[in-house]
Amino acid sequence: MLRFDHVNLAYGSQKILNDISFDIQDGQFAVFIGPSGCGKTTTLKMINRLIQPDSGHIYLDDKDISTIDRFELRRHTGYVIQQIGLFPNMTVAQNICVVPKLLKWPKDKCDQTVRELLEMVDMPYEQYAHKYPSEMSGGQQQRIGILRALAASPPVVLMDEPFSALDPMTRRSLQLEVKNLQQKLNKTIIFVTHDMEEALDLADVIIFMDHGHIVQIAPPEEMLENPATEQIQEFLGKHHAGPSPADLTVSHFMRTGIITVNQNRGINECVSRMQHHNVDTLLVVDEYRRYQGTVSIADIRLTGHVVKSIGPLVRDNTPVVHTGDNAKECFDQLISSGFPYLVVLNDDQTVAGIVTKTSMASAMAEQLWG
Amino acid sequence: MTVALIWDHLSLVLASLFLAVAVGVPLGLLTYLCPRAGKVILWVVDLIQTIPALALLGLIMVVLDPGSPTAMVGLALYSLLPIVRNCSLGLSQVPAHIKEAATGMGMTPAYRLLRIEIPLATPMLLTGIRIAAVNAIGTAVFAAFVGGGGLGGLFNTAIRQRDMTMILLGTLVLMVMALVLDAGLGFVERRISSHSRRKLPTAVRAAGGGAVALAGLALVIYMLLPADTAGQLTLYDGDYTEVKLMHSMAEQLVEDKTDLEVVILDQMTQVNNYNELSADDPSCDLMFSYDGTVLTTFLGMDTTDIPEGETLYDFVNEEVSAQKGLHLLGKVGLNNTYSIGVTQEVVDTYGVTKISELVPIAGELDFGAEHEFYTSEGSMKYDPFVAFYGLNFRSSVPVDVVLKYNAVEEGAFDVMVVYATDGLNKRANLTILEDDWGFFPEYYGAYLVRDDLFEDFADTAPNLEEVLELLTGNVSSEDMVELTYAVDVDGRAVAEVAHEFLVERGFLEA
Amino acid sequence: MTDLLLEILKQTAIHTGYTLVCVAIGFVVGLALGIGLSRLPRLSRYLLPLLSILNTVPGIVFIGVLFIWIGMRPATVIIALSIYAMFPVLKNTVTGLNGVDEQYKEAARGCGMNQLQRLRHVELPLAMPTIIGGLRLSTVYTVSWTVLAAMIGQHGLGDFVYRGVSSNNNELILQGAIPAAILALVLGGLVDLLQRHVVPRGLRNVGGESK
């Protein structure tokens, strides 16, 4: 359990943190949120003693952390930062092993850890372990950044706006991954963000801060229902208002920014695109960007060695809807068809997005709880 | 140290800096615009940087003749690297999105370069100029080796005289110069890179830039032009005390007894001074030299070339007049021949008085001389000398001419080539050995003048020849030892010592 | 002719020896001082500009003064040239270490590295391209400065240069200058090779910033 007990901090006459007290239970996903300068990052950095409080105490499992050697404390606390901060002079494997090495783990145990962790995020050891950060995309780098924080299996992991520099697609998939990892490994995660949607998606408990005060501590549903102040209301704002359920069309529910591939493209390009975006299916379009069907990695594995271009492998059995279609009909279709997603097309037959159960559910949750 | 000397140094630095900017910025632009040519350009300026400063100046000197132009060009070449590199680096570091925005707004490449890229690269370029400026101030000290003036001569004298105060003072001046120049350029850099509203109006800035460019151009031209010495008797300053003294005496006598004005320009070695005097368009009128030097060093002849029955002095005068249109005035008396000096310790141990007595003991002695004594031109050099006497020294060390007395005093060697009249022989307690087998020719000092000198000045100074001949036979070797001692050891000013001597001998009123 | 060649080879060997010794000493001292200074940002703000001004003290003057104090021996050359060789390394070490992106330092702190570990595993490797850039400058300059060894009878290629300048003999100057330039290029090339070896693969595409 993590406990802040009347923690204060000031730089000169400027109060940064004002009498901060809270508890976070083991295994909880706690998200700090609030406007810039509210003190959320400062609070986070106190947990691994990057910043010292002027007064008050912080307890980790009932032990005052000021009595723990700060280097030892940090080695047993995961830390992920917004700028990622992978050491560019080290390979992926070396980056992951920084803390285990500091803890003087034997070499084979380090290796084992790297393999297990990479496997957990579906990044094959052979392919990634010896790459350098500069050879990977931002999303992949931050995945490694998270693995580095988890490597020495710390009970508590601190995350300081880890996804805010990533593009929306990548951010989404990393959010899911982090949530999964947290539940699987039963970690306590302290997470700082300024993105309410992220907070609502991930948090077990949200701590809203402003001007160095804690304004409200509540689970997401409770905060949505009973925001303590107008300011929180404003932060939650867009999650409240919306068109009435009957007027909703598919465009409200779909995920956009879908990866497509031209039907004339070769197998290899297709595969590398899948790997790069970490997906197993691509939507296929023609030269006018009109939807033609889908191609999956399974089909490519099966017959990819026979054909050169992906044309022959395209399947067109995935159900198709249009952006203006009624949301409810679409929902029924998704449930009854048994396909994991529906393809959404614009009126000119170009791809607008897809509807998945997740995108449906989160859109409905938004409607329901604001 | 005089203000003139400091200005001399500073103007050399500024002129070369201006030249380097004028050449380096276009090269930097070219490097940026045409990367393939740029690679070659950067490689070449990098290569220049690897040539030792002294060697670079020496090489340019042979092409351009010694003097300010050589020093300026050499320094400019040395300053090229930081300027070219920073110019192209600054241009290539202009963010791509800014260039894209400029292009997107419809700017032509030339307009974009002029209005966007160059202004954004200017701070980087100025940093390069700052680096070049600070480096050039230090490197300009080498200019003295090639007659380029500046503070280098002062350092040479100060080191020779072990005058720590002067060395520190000179160093301090260099540092202050570097600080001021660096701060000034830093100010300009901040002014240009700050995007404040306090920026001066365009007209003022253009005027300022134009003024700087004009001033720089003027400075470069000033450096390139030979000094305007029309109607004046022109000499170069000597690179060692004896010549300085004799040139100063000539100046004082001529100015006192004729209506001529005398100017003494930058320091020159004997060889460089002779080259200037004997050039088709001589930049000076006379120099103090020695018959032996004229024979061996200047004319490249040997004592064996002198016909039987003729004296060295007479032979030299015929030859140099025939070949170069120069002649020696009367011998002033001193015979500043190369001599062999030995330390007191050698005298005490072996009791030697003649060079031939060194033969049996040479294997236990170390020999030292300036680098010039080890060159192969002429016969008055190391190899012929040891061969003539059959000497076989334990070791033989070439050392800077400025430092050799310091070296022998601290025991670096036992036997050293010296000039007979050098006051430092006395300081170093060296005993001059008799050249008993007669290897070294006479080196009788005399003024070497152009044959047409007295015609040229017939109107303004009809008595010039008489005045210059006043000293003939009146400055003995012993006199010169006293005089150089007063300067080199007592640290007195050359002009003052010369004046005192002239008064004492009745050539000048007190 | 062979005599001359032998003489050039001999002086080149002496020249190389001085260069290597001085660069090695200068590198070690410069690196150590640079690391020290980078820990004291306030001091280094004033000290670094001062050091670059000290750099204007001409080599001949410095060697001359040292010569008067210490005498005519290799130590004089080595001390003087080592100090000059130290400047670029020192400056680039401070610049390189100060230039390490804050995110890496924070990540390292967050991983629980202490000062020494941060320096060894993160800051020095990241600053290495810049530091080696300083070593390269220092090497090339030292080759050129070692000419001054001849000034106090310690030989090297300066013997040719000094003799050549004192007698206006281009051939002699070139006999010193060409081997010196070649030596500078070769040693510079070796440093470039070293650069490729010590700079981790992950940093190589940012190596261009080393200057």
Side-chain angles (χ1 to χ4, degrees):
Chain A
M1 190 178 75
L2 173 72
R3 187 168 72 200
F4 270 56
D5 185 19
H6 300 287
V7 171
N8 285 285
L9 178 72
Y11 292 146
S13 62
Q14 197 190 356
K15 274 269 184 195
I16 304 296
L17 293 182
N18 208 336
D19 199 31
I20 299 289
S21 297
F22 61 83
D23 291 348
I24 289 168
Q25 304 303 322
D26 286 343
Q28 265 197 329
F29 200 124
V31 177
F32 283 84
I33 192 168
S36 313
C38 69
K40 53 190 191 290
T41 294
T42 309
T43 308
L44 181 95
K45 285 185 178 177
M46 280 180 170
I47 301 171
N48 63 358
R49 291 185 59 191
L50 286 173
I51 298 176
Q52 303 282 351
D54 291 341
S55 66
H57 298 275
I58 301 164
Y59 299 95
L60 201 57
D61 295 329
D62 294 324
K63 199 169 176 199
D64 188 336
I65 62 166
S66 63
T67 63
I68 310 174
D69 173 75
R70 63 181 193 279
F71 299 120
E72 277 304 308
L73 173 71
R74 288 173 195 162
R75 287 170 198 176
H76 292 100
T77 311
Y79 187 48
V80 184
I81 58 176
Q82 179 189 346
Q83 306 89 338
I84 302 173
L86 286 187
F87 303 124
N89 53 322
M90 302 181 191
T91 62
V92 164
Q94 287 169 331
N95 262 294
I96 295 177
C97 274
V98 166
V99 182
K101 273 222 182 95
L102 288 172
L103 294 171
K104 307 216 160 41
W105 285 14
K107 201 182 170 306
D108 45 342
K109 192 177 170 194
C110 289
D111 276 352
Q112 187 59 29
T113 309
V114 173
R115 279 177 190 279
E116 281 170 15
L117 287 171
L118 281 174
E119 201 171 307
M120 242 191 298
V121 293
D122 288 324
M123 292 172 79
Y125 178 89
E126 284 69 26
Q127 194 182 342
Y128 289 101
H130 302 295
K131 282 199 170 179
Y132 280 90
S134 57
E135 298 162 348
M136 301 193 302
S137 70
Q140 288 173 327
Q141 287 186 32
Q142 192 56 300
R143 268 197 189 85
I144 304 301
I146 293 165
L147 296 189
R148 178 172 67 180
L150 293 171
S153 46
V156 178
V157 180
L158 312 177
M159 298 190 172
D160 187 5
E161 305 202 21
F163 307 138
S164 57
L166 303 176
D167 67 273
M169 286 275 293
T170 316
R171 187 187 310 161
R172 191 78 209 130
S173 69
L174 273 168
Q175 284 165 351
L176 293 175
E177 224 156 288
V178 161
K179 187 75 186 165
N180 279 338
L181 285 172
Q182 184 247 344
Q183 282 165 351
K184 205 175 342 176
L185 304 172
N186 194 32
K187 302 283 177 199
T188 308
I189 292 189
I190 317 293
F191 193 105
V192 165
T193 184
H194 57 260
D195 176 358
M196 189 49 112
E197 198 172 336
E198 189 167 66
L200 292 170
D201 280 354
L202 296 176
D204 296 321
V205 59
I206 298 178
I207 300 165
F208 193 99
M209 292 183 69
D210 187 32
H211 286 105
H213 291 272
I214 290 181
V215 183
Q216 186 176 17
I217 305 180
E221 308 79 47
E222 191 185 321
M223 194 165 277
L224 280 165
E225 265 171 51
N226 294 311
T229 64
E230 266 186 33
Q231 187 190 22
I232 300 178
Q233 176 97 44
E234 236 168 74
F235 249 78
L236 294 166
K238 59 176 179 158
H239 298 272
H240 270 299
S244 77
D247 302 337
L248 288 176
T249 62
V250 171
S251 59
H252 289 104
F253 283 47
M254 67 187 182
R255 247 177 70 188
T256 55
I258 303 306
I259 314 301
T260 62
V261 63
N262 192 290
Q263 59 187 0
N264 302 324
R265 290 312 159 110
I267 296 290
N268 290 339
E269 189 189 336
C270 189
V271 171
S272 80
R273 201 176 278 204
M274 285 179 177
Q275 277 170 347
H276 186 251
H277 295 285
N278 242 331
V279 294
D280 58 5
T281 308
L282 292 179
L283 302 189
V284 182
V285 296
D286 66 7
E287 48 272 43
Y288 304 107
R289 310 200 58 74
R290 287 182 307 221
Y291 174 70
Q292 299 297 316
T294 62
V295 62
S296 73
I297 189 74
D299 286 339
I300 290 176
R301 287 224 181 95
L302 215 57
T303 48
H305 53 280
V306 204
V307 292
K308 270 198 181 142
S309 96
I310 55 174
L313 302 180
V314 175
R315 293 170 183 268
D316 61 353
N317 51 349
T318 308
V320 171
V321 293
H322 286 84
T323 44
D325 291 356
N326 182 281
K328 176 158 188 324
E329 284 163 24
C330 167
F331 178 73
D332 293 341
Q333 199 177 348
L334 178 64
I335 299 300
S336 59
S337 71
F339 277 87
Y341 58 90
L342 306 177
V343 178
V344 185
L345 299 183
N346 294 314
D347 291 340
D348 58 0
Q349 301 302 308
T350 56
V351 175
I354 59 173
V355 174
T356 64
K357 286 174 186 163
T358 320
S359 76
M360 205 90 186
S362 61
M364 281 196 299
E366 203 174 298
Q367 286 301 315
L368 212 52
W369 297 300
Chain B
M1 182 161 18
T2 58
V3 177
L5 198 59
I6 297 172
W7 163 244
D8 201 27
H9 196 90
L10 187 64
S11 58
L12 177 63
V13 169
L14 289 178
S16 60
L17 212 55
F18 181 80
L19 196 63
V21 171
V23 177
V25 170
L27 282 180
L29 273 175
L30 191 64
T31 302
Y32 169 66
L33 295 175
C34 175
R36 203 173 302 164
K39 245 185 203 157
V40 180
I41 292 171
L42 281 176
W43 190 78
V44 170
V45 291
D46 214 31
L47 188 70
I48 292 174
Q49 205 80 20
T50 66
I51 304 174
L54 192 56
L56 185 67
L57 288 172
L59 290 173
I60 299 170
M61 172 174 76
V62 178
V63 183
L64 278 185
D65 291 342
S68 314
T70 294
M72 179 179 69
V73 171
L75 280 181
L77 282 175
Y78 246 54
S79 304
L80 271 184
L81 181 62
I83 293 174
V84 174
R85 194 176 53 201
N86 277 38
C87 181
S88 84
L89 203 64
L91 285 167
S92 58
Q93 280 180 352
V94 173
H97 64 262
I98 292 183
K99 288 191 247 180
E100 197 181 320
T103 312
M105 287 156 72
M107 292 188 189
T108 62
Y111 188 87
R112 191 183 80 181
L113 187 70
L114 206 63
R115 303 311 290 269
I116 306 292
E117 294 172 64
I118 291 180
L120 285 175
T122 307
M124 190 75 173
L125 171 66
L126 275 167
T127 308
I129 297 177
R130 279 169 78 174
I131 297 172
V134 173
N135 286 344
I137 286 171
T139 315
V141 168
F142 284 106
F145 282 87
V146 293
L151 288 167
L154 177 119
F155 282 117
N156 281 344
T157 313
I159 291 174
R160 184 176 148 89
Q161 298 175 0
R162 288 199 287 197
D163 184 348
M164 279 297 167
T165 329
M166 194 50 96
I167 295 175
L168 285 180
L169 203 62
T171 309
L172 202 70
V173 167
L174 289 187
M175 285 188 189
V176 170
M177 207 182 276
L179 269 176
V180 169
L181 209 55
D182 190 57
L185 284 167
F187 175 75
V188 176
E189 188 181 324
R190 274 193 304 281
R191 230 15 220 273
I192 287 179
S193 57
S194 79
H195 299 285
S196 69
R197 258 167 289 142
R198 287 187 299 131
K199 246 185 193 173
L200 298 167
T202 315
V204 177
R205 273 187 294 148
V212 169
L214 268 180
L217 195 63
L219 203 56
V220 171
I221 292 170
Y222 166 73
M223 283 285 152
L224 286 175
L225 283 180
D228 178 22
T229 54
Q232 294 172 315
L233 188 73
T234 311
L235 293 84
Y236 282 101
D237 200 7
D239 66 334
Y240 55 97
T241 309
E242 183 168 314
V243 179
K244 283 175 194 283
L245 281 164
M246 293 310 295
H247 285 194
S248 177
M249 285 186 203
E251 177 195 21
Q252 294 185 33
L253 284 175
V254 171
E255 293 209 323
D256 185 67
K257 304 201 183 300
T258 73
D259 294 334
L260 264 181
E261 256 186 77
V262 182
V263 281
I264 296 186
L265 303 174
D266 295 330
Q267 278 187 18
M268 285 265 182
T269 60
Q270 283 274 307
V271 177
N272 287 340
N273 202 343
Y274 172 77
N275 288 342
E276 287 299 310
L277 185 64
S278 60
D280 292 337
D281 180 22
S283 62
C284 63
D285 297 310
L286 70 102
M287 67 184 283
F288 184 76
S289 192
Y290 312 88
D291 50 6
T293 308
V294 177
L295 178 78
T296 57
T297 310
F298 298 166
L299 299 178
M301 300 170 89
D302 214 333
T303 39
T304 50
D305 295 324
I306 305 171
E308 196 75 30
E310 203 169 352
T311 63
L312 197 161
Y313 175 85
D314 292 335
F315 176 72
V316 160
N317 248 350
E318 286 163 24
E319 284 297 319
V320 79
S321 183
Q323 291 186 26
K324 300 285 181 181
L326 306 173
H327 68 273
L328 288 164
L329 301 183
K331 304 180 203 174
V332 297
L334 60 90
N335 176 9
N336 190 7
T337 179
Y338 271 131
S339 306
I340 299 301
V342 293
T343 59
Q344 192 57 44
E345 204 190 320
V346 174
V347 175
D348 292 347
T349 317
Y350 303 104
V352 288
T353 55
K354 301 170 181 156
I355 298 179
S356 61
E357 288 168 5
L358 287 176
V359 176
I361 54 171
E364 293 154 45
L365 300 175
D366 297 316
F367 181 88
E370 58 269 36
H371 291 92
E372 198 183 353
F373 194 63
Y374 291 93
T375 50
S376 48
E377 282 109 36
S379 58
M380 296 310 109
K381 304 290 159 160
Y382 181 73
D383 287 336
F385 166 65
V386 291
F388 182 80
Y389 270 101
L391 290 161
N392 201 355
F393 289 109
R394 182 168 61 197
S395 76
S396 158
V397 188
V399 66
D400 191 273
V401 62
V402 166
L403 292 172
K404 71 175 183 179
Y405 279 97
N406 291 311
V408 75
E409 277 171 72
E410 69 117 21
F413 25 77
D414 314 297
V415 185
M416 188 168 86
V417 161
V418 297
Y419 292 119
T421 57
D422 200 320
L424 291 179
N425 292 339
K426 202 161 135 192
R427 184 183 84 185
N429 211 0
L430 295 182
T431 303
I432 307 294
L433 298 184
E434 187 194 331
D435 182 11
D436 50 342
W437 293 359
F439 174 75
F440 292 113
E442 300 138 357
Y443 277 74
Y444 282 108
Y447 290 112
L448 182 65
V449 301
R450 294 191 283 108
D451 286 346
D452 48 10
L453 173 70
F454 303 118
E455 266 169 57
D456 288 354
F457 289 107
D459 297 338
T460 36
N463 58 341
L464 181 60
E465 186 165 8
E466 292 154 44
V467 172
L468 287 173
E469 292 280 16
L470 275 177
L471 290 175
T472 302
N474 279 318
V475 189
S476 67
S477 296
E478 291 71 29
D479 291 335
M480 189 47 78
V481 173
E482 293 301 322
L483 293 173
T484 53
Y485 189 86
V487 173
D488 283 342
V489 184
D490 296 340
R492 298 180 55 201
V494 168
E496 187 188 309
V497 172
H499 185 77
E500 216 174 78
F501 176 80
L502 292 176
V503 171
E504 187 195 304
R505 295 295 160 99
F507 298 118
L508 287 181
E509 303 291 320
Chain C
M1 192 62 210
T2 36
D3 276 0
L4 176 65
L5 211 65
L6 272 177
E7 174 75 3
I8 291 179
L9 278 179
K10 184 184 144 209
Q11 301 298 5
T12 309
I14 295 175
H15 205 94
T16 315
Y18 274 120
T19 306
L20 292 182
V21 169
C22 297
V23 169
I25 297 176
F27 181 72
V28 171
V29 177
L31 190 67
L33 285 181
I35 291 170
L37 266 187
S38 72
R39 309 289 107 169
L40 305 163
R42 200 168 305 165
L43 187 64
S44 71
R45 236 202 10 245
Y46 295 103
L47 219 55
L48 272 186
L50 203 71
L51 281 177
S52 72
I53 295 301
L54 264 185
N55 221 352
T56 58
V57 179
I60 24 176
V61 174
F62 193 54
I63 289 196
V65 171
L66 265 187
F67 166 81
I68 293 172
W69 282 340
I70 303 179
M72 198 172 93
R73 48 176 66 98
T76 307
V77 177
I78 292 175
I79 292 175
L81 295 186
S82 298
I83 290 179
Y84 281 99
M86 180 195 74
F87 284 121
V89 177
L90 169 63
K91 200 165 161 239
N92 277 34
T93 303
V94 176
T95 319
L97 287 176
N98 286 347
V100 172
D101 202 317
E102 197 50 46
Q103 59 166 309
Y104 304 127
K105 294 190 211 167
E106 185 176 345
R109 264 198 303 275
C111 285
M113 292 187 188
N114 60 33
Q115 270 229 10
L116 214 63
Q117 288 164 331
R118 284 209 299 275
L119 189 68
R120 223 192 94 192
H121 297 296
V122 178
E123 294 175 42
L124 274 183
L126 292 184
M128 210 34 93
T130 316
I131 296 175
I132 301 293
L135 177 65
R136 190 181 197 286
L137 277 183
S138 150
T139 308
V140 171
Y141 284 153
T142 306
V143 171
S144 150
W145 288 328
T146 304
V147 163
L148 296 180
M151 183 174 149
I152 59 166
Q154 300 306 311
H155 306 290
L157 292 167
D159 269 4
F160 298 111
V161 177
Y162 264 86
R163 268 190 271 155
V165 172
S166 69
S167 61
N168 274 14
N169 183 334
N170 243 352
E171 209 174 297
L172 268 173
I173 299 177
L174 286 175
Q175 279 167 19
I178 293 177
I182 294 175
L183 187 61
L185 289 178
V186 168
L187 291 180
L190 283 180
V191 176
D192 288 342
L193 268 181
L194 178 76
Q195 175 87 296
R196 240 174 275 165
H197 269 272
V198 296
V199 175
R201 186 155 63 95
L203 282 181
R204 266 169 226 162
N205 26 6
V206 292
E209 291 167 13
S210 62
K211 281 167 186 170

